[in-house]
């Protein structure tokens, strides 16, 4: 049986009177974990506490089975971290920096150098690796952050807003790399972001944090299942007829800004909707089952958290 | 088709132990400190001075042996009276080779240690922002702390790196001068007679070097701005020097706020050139006739320094630096 990679027990972090993390209890199994939450929710603080960049005020946490307060160093041997902020060492070229990071993680120099070049190839850095990092663009800095985080082949990879400042193409490449690390290479990825579509694309587990508390922790599939009873219907015309037909079945519905009709039909499949449309003689252009499930969960859980 | 050429391969090697990782930090610190022509030039200067010391030591050795290299030199350079004084001096030196060799070695190594200290302080002035200031400013500490490195490992590595640089510019030249000086001496007994100079050098330089390195690290961690780190170091090194003068007319302990004074006093207390001087004056009529009438206070300026004051002052300075380091480097 698989053991959890991250386990926290009433993990609390306070900055003076401000509670950044409030009795966080988590048991995260290996996989690709999306850490969602609005800005200031406590995502970065949670990662920092797990990596001992911040000291916990109360509670306990285990990383890869090691209690972090007594065996943090051992645990961090198998952890990679790409922080949100820039954190390069000034005066170093890209390949020199990644090699140094590998050595700091315990790789012998020869292995470190070879591995650094492999990882720089992997993240798509070319000859610019021989330039000083101080001269890099934001995109290059994000890539080098990823390279230094995976250079020692960690079991868990913590990524804090890794697509910040990237152009669409760069975002696409970064997400693809992260997805591949998780799916093809068996690395557990903790992906912290406030961009739902990115998390939805990469992750299979979701942790939603709001005001320092864990509001939701479930698999993406389960969250989608919970929203199976809703759908978006795209029709070319006759919106009023469709709305009245759905209302006649006591299904709450509304017309969205894009003209689509959102309906909560409460069934496992979209068959009841198709039946109704068939009855009124309207052919839909598209029926999207449980659209924006994650977004709805996110907004709902934040509302619940506030209440 | 993949957008990128992906070639990720797992790594199956053996992770090195924590001492190797500390050594990596130390090596990087050393390399960073030694970057730049000025620093490298400054590191060479004490070695040149060490060579000069070896030559001087060699000259003294030649005086002590009959028909040494200095004999014809004396003959040509000195007049009759001068030659007589020199002959007397040489006779005394030959009579008390242990005192002579010890005193000469002590004096030469103390002087070399003093010069090397000044050069080392200059080097620290240049490299002090490269120690911790840059890491604090660029958040590089996050890189260290997210890896299998504790705050102690990080600071230990940094300390070792700076000690490596100081060994190159301070301890190394002094030890080399002692060793080479005795290698080129007329006989192997010089090693034995000069043993106290070696012990004094180690007793003086090693603890002072460690203390200075800790203080430099503490100052380096004070601010993310290089200018502030340099200015603070210069204040502690140079701008406290006037306190020595002020201390003479007010409170003597004020002088111990100057790190230069503290180190100078400590050097004189350990090497104790004053004792060598007294011994020479008591054993050699020539010295007695010239220096016998000098008041003891003036002779004491040669270095009859108490040990406790400088030791306490340096310990307090180091302790303050440790507290600063512990409070400033918190992210680890």
């Amino acid at each position: 049986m698989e053991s959890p990679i991250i386990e926290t027990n009433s993990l609390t972090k306070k900055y003076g009177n401000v509670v950044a993390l409030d009795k966080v209890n988590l048991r995260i199994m290996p996989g690709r974990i999306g850490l969602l939450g609005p800005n200031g929710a406590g995502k970065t603080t949670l990662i920092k506490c797990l990596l001992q960049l911040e000291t916990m005020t109360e509670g306990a946490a285990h990383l890869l089975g090691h209690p972090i307060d007594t065996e943090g160093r051992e645990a961090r041997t198998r952890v990679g971290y790409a922080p949100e902020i820039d954190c390069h060492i000034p005066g170093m070229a890209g390949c020199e920096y990644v090699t140094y990071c590998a050595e700091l993680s315990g790789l012998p120099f020869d292995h470190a150098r070879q591995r650094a070049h492999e990882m720089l190839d992997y993240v798509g850095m070319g000859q610019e690796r021989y330039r000083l990092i101080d001269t890099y663009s934001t995109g290059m800095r994000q890539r080098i952050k990823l390279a230094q985080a995976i250079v020692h082949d960690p079991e868990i990879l913590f990524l804090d807003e890794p697509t910040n400042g990237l152009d669409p193409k760069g975002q696409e490449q970064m997400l693809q790399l992260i997805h591949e690390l998780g799916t093809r290479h068996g690395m557990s990825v903790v992906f912290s972001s406030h961009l739902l579509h990115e998390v939805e694309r990469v992750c299979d587990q979701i942790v939603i944090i709001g005001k320092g508390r864990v509001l939701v922790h479930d698999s993406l599939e389960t969250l989608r299942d919970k929203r199976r009873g809703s759908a978006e219907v795209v029709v070319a015309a006759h919106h009023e007829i469709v709305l009245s037909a759905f209302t006649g079945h006591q299904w709450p519905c509304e017309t969205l800004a894009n003209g689509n009709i959102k309906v909560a039909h409460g069934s496992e499949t979209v068959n009841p909707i198709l039946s109704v449309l068939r009855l009124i003689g309207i052919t839909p252009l598209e029926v999207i089952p449980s659209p924006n499930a994650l977004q709805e969960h996110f907004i709902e859980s934040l509302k619940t958290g506030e209440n | 088709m993949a957008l990128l050429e992906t070639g990720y391969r797992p790594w199956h090697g053996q992770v090195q132990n924590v001492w190797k990782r500390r050594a990596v930090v130390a090596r990087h610190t050393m390399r960073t400190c030694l970057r730049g022509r000025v620093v490298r030039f400054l590191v060479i200067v004490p070695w040149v001075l060490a060579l000069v010391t070896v030559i001087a030591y060699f000259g003294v050795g030649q005086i002590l042996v009959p028909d040494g290299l200095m004999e014809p030199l004396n003959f040509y350079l000195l007049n009759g009276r001068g030659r007589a004084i020199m002959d007397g001096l040489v006779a005394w030196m030959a009579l008390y080779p242990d005192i002579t060799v010890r005193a000469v070695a002590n004096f030469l190594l103390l002087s070399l240690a003093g010069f090397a200290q000044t050069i080392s302080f200059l080097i620290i002035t240049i490299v002090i922002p490269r120690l911790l200031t840059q890491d604090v400013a660029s958040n590089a500490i996050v890189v260290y702390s997210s890896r299998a490195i504790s705050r102690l490992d990080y600071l230990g590595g940094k300390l070792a790196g700076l000690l490596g640089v100081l060994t190159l510019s301070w301890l190394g030249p002094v030890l080399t001068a002692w060793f080479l000086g005795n290698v080129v001496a007329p006989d192997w007994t010089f090693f034995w007679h000069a043993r106290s100079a070696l012990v004094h050098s180690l007793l003086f330089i090693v603890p002072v070097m460690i203390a200075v390195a800790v203080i430099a690290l503490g100052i380096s961690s004070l601010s993310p701005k290089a200018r502030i780190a340099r200015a603070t170091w210069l204040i502690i090194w140079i701008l406290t020097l006037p306190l020595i003068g002020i201390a003479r007319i007010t409170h003597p302990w004020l002088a111990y706020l100057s790190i230069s004074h503290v180190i100078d006093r400590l050097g004189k207390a350990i090497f104790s050139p004053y004792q060598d001087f007294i011994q020479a004056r008591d054993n050699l009529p020539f010295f007695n006739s010239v220096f016998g009438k000098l008041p003891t206070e003036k002779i004491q300026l040669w270095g009859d320094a108490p040990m406790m004051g400088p030791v306490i002052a340096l310990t307090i300075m180091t302790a303050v630096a440790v507290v600063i380091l512990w409070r400033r480097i918190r992210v680890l």
Side-chain angles (χ1 to χ4, degrees):
Chain A
M1 187 184 155
E2 275 187 324
S3 51
I5 51 167
I6 297 168
E7 205 171 357
T8 66
N9 188 11
S10 296
L11 173 59
T12 304
K13 173 67 189 173
K14 291 179 185 170
Y15 297 101
N17 292 327
V18 180
V19 182
L21 291 174
D22 188 8
K23 296 192 175 80
V24 172
N25 290 302
L26 276 173
R27 194 179 149 82
I28 297 175
M29 305 307 283
R32 305 179 307 281
I33 303 101
L35 207 54
L36 276 173
N39 291 331
K43 306 182 297 283
T44 303
T45 309
L46 176 61
I47 293 176
K48 282 185 171 178
C49 282
L50 290 171
L51 294 174
Q52 289 185 294
L53 300 171
E54 296 277 3
T55 46
M56 295 181 285
T57 313
E58 282 169 39
H62 285 72
L63 199 58
L64 293 166
H66 294 277
I68 59 167
D69 43 1
T70 53
E71 295 170 21
R73 191 162 62 190
E74 285 72 19
R76 291 202 304 273
T77 314
R78 297 185 282 150
V79 169
Y81 176 45
E84 186 184 1
I85 51 166
D86 270 342
C87 59
H88 65 277
I89 297 169
M92 269 187 162
C95 57
E96 197 186 348
Y97 170 66
V98 180
T99 305
Y100 182 53
C101 287
E103 283 190 278
L104 287 177
S105 296
L107 272 71
F109 177 72
D110 289 343
H111 290 239
R113 191 172 48 188
Q114 186 186 341
R115 181 97 187 145
H117 283 287
E118 282 175 14
M119 289 308 104
L120 287 164
D121 287 339
Y122 181 66
V123 300
M125 299 245 336
Q127 292 301 307
E128 56 268 34
R129 72 185 63 178
Y130 299 106
R131 262 171 41 200
L132 288 180
I133 301 178
D134 311 60
T135 64
Y136 281 8
S137 65
T138 312
M140 286 179 193
R141 281 172 195 235
Q142 292 288 22
R143 282 166 199 268
I144 204 126
K145 268 198 270 180
L146 180 62
Q148 64 82 24
I150 59 175
V151 70
H152 55 296
D153 192 25
E155 283 180 46
I156 310 180
L157 177 62
F158 287 93
L159 300 169
D160 198 353
E161 312 275 4
T163 55
N164 264 11
L166 293 179
D167 57 29
K169 190 182 168 197
Q171 283 180 3
E172 173 62 26
Q173 291 173 337
M174 185 63 84
L175 291 174
Q176 192 173 324
L177 285 175
I178 296 166
H179 187 260
E180 194 183 271
L181 284 169
T183 51
R184 279 180 59 188
H185 305 297
M187 201 181 282
S188 289
V189 179
V190 178
F191 184 100
S192 165
S193 179
H194 58 272
L195 302 173
L196 304 182
H197 65 278
E198 288 187 351
V199 172
E200 202 166 8
R201 211 187 122 178
V202 170
C203 302
D204 57 3
Q205 291 180 57
I206 303 293
V207 177
I208 299 177
I209 294 182
K211 293 194 170 177
R213 280 176 292 157
V214 175
L215 304 173
V216 172
H217 176 206
D218 223 325
S219 71
L220 185 61
E221 202 50 45
T222 311
L223 291 178
R224 279 189 180 142
D225 282 347
K226 284 180 185 171
R227 290 274 159 187
R228 284 252 186 262
S230 67
E232 244 178 72
V233 180
V234 186
V235 284
H238 311 297
H239 287 76
E240 294 305 319
I241 299 170
V242 174
L243 278 170
S244 61
F246 288 160
T247 315
H249 281 81
Q250 309 292 318
W251 291 341
C253 56
E254 58 176 322
T255 308
L256 300 174
N258 58 2
N260 295 352
I261 296 167
K262 188 181 168 189
V263 56
H265 54 91
S267 300
E268 286 281 306
T269 63
V270 291
N271 288 341
I273 294 176
L274 296 175
S275 302
V276 170
L277 292 172
R278 203 177 302 122
L279 272 174
I280 57 175
I282 292 174
T283 309
L285 297 175
E286 193 179 4
V287 177
I288 310 162
S290 55
N292 305 320
L294 188 57
Q295 189 178 352
E296 285 169 14
H297 270 289
F298 182 68
I299 293 166
E300 192 178 295
S301 51
L302 288 183
K303 279 181 187 164
T304 315
E306 279 173 14
N307 294 333
Chain B
M1 194 183 98
L3 284 170
L4 295 168
E5 197 57 45
T6 51
Y8 187 88
R9 281 188 299 156
W11 183 70
H12 299 294
Q14 182 70 39
V15 173
Q16 292 188 304
N17 64 34
V18 71
W19 285 101
K20 292 269 173 63
R21 298 202 289 272
R22 286 172 186 150
V24 168
V25 179
R27 194 190 66 205
H28 171 70
T29 307
M30 254 187 103
R31 197 186 291 170
T32 309
C33 287
L34 294 174
R35 203 173 278 166
R37 282 183 192 167
V38 178
V39 174
R40 270 178 261 169
F41 171 77
L42 285 173
V43 168
I44 292 169
V45 172
W47 291 94
V48 175
L49 292 172
L51 195 64
V52 173
T53 306
V54 171
I55 293 166
Y57 199 78
F58 172 76
V60 172
Q62 290 304 310
I63 289 173
L64 288 174
V65 289
D67 303 323
L69 285 175
M70 300 303 278
E71 187 79 18
L73 210 63
N74 285 342
F75 185 82
Y76 289 113
L77 292 181
L78 300 175
N79 56 20
R81 192 178 171 200
R83 214 175 301 144
I85 292 171
M86 186 53 84
D87 286 346
L89 197 62
V90 169
W92 172 77
M93 289 167 84
L95 201 61
Y96 300 104
D98 51 340
I99 299 172
T100 311
V101 173
R102 192 192 65 211
V104 168
N106 257 336
F107 175 75
L108 288 177
L109 292 196
L110 175 62
S111 309
L112 179 60
F115 282 124
Q117 178 212 316
T118 308
I119 301 293
S120 300
F121 276 30
L122 268 175
I123 291 171
I124 290 175
T125 310
I126 296 168
V127 306
I128 201 163
R130 302 177 196 169
L131 298 172
L132 297 176
T133 312
Q134 282 185 348
D135 286 357
V136 173
S138 65
N139 296 312
I141 284 180
V142 175
V143 174
Y144 291 97
S145 47
S146 63
R147 302 194 128 71
I149 287 175
S150 70
R151 172 159 53 169
L152 266 178
D153 301 333
Y154 171 73
L155 290 175
K158 289 282 174 183
L159 180 67
L162 182 56
L163 285 176
V165 175
L166 292 179
T167 301
L168 278 179
S169 66
W170 195 351
L171 182 64
V174 172
L175 294 187
T176 307
W178 178 86
F179 179 74
L180 287 184
N182 287 306
V183 166
V184 296
D187 66 70
W188 298 108
T189 57
F190 273 59
F191 273 106
W192 178 247
H193 296 321
R195 69 189 183 281
S196 64
L198 174 68
V199 174
H200 291 159
S201 301
L202 290 170
L203 280 177
F204 169 56
I205 299 174
V206 173
V208 169
M209 213 168 74
I210 293 169
V212 166
V214 172
I215 292 165
L217 284 177
I219 293 169
S220 184
S221 71
L222 271 178
S223 165
K225 290 184 179 168
R227 273 182 299 177
I228 291 178
R230 272 204 189 105
T232 313
W233 170 254
L234 286 173
I235 287 169
I236 286 175
W237 174 26
I238 294 172
L239 291 187
T240 51
L241 285 174
L243 287 174
I244 303 165
I246 297 168
R248 284 202 195 105
I249 50 173
T250 56
H251 305 289
W253 57 265
L254 268 179
Y256 289 113
L257 292 176
S258 162
I259 193 170
S260 308
H261 176 75
V262 167
I263 293 173
D264 176 65
R265 293 282 88 188
L266 199 60
K268 284 181 176 153
I270 290 172
F271 279 93
S272 196
Y274 166 75
Q275 294 299 333
D276 294 330
F277 191 83
I278 293 292
Q279 213 161 18
R281 192 185 65 177
D282 294 347
N283 287 291
L284 184 66
F286 165 75
F287 267 93
N288 198 17
S289 63
V290 177
F291 300 110
K293 290 167 193 164
L294 269 178
T296 313
E297 305 87 64
K298 289 221 168 176
I299 301 173
Q300 279 176 341
L301 288 177
W302 277 72
D304 184 26
M307 179 85 83
M308 201 50 75
V311 169
I312 291 171
L314 204 59
T315 308
I316 291 172
M317 287 178 192
T318 311
V320 170
V322 169
V323 172
I324 291 170
L325 275 174
W326 211 246
R327 291 182 67 86
R328 293 288 304 165
I329 311 296
R330 291 181 82 121
V331 74
L332 298 159

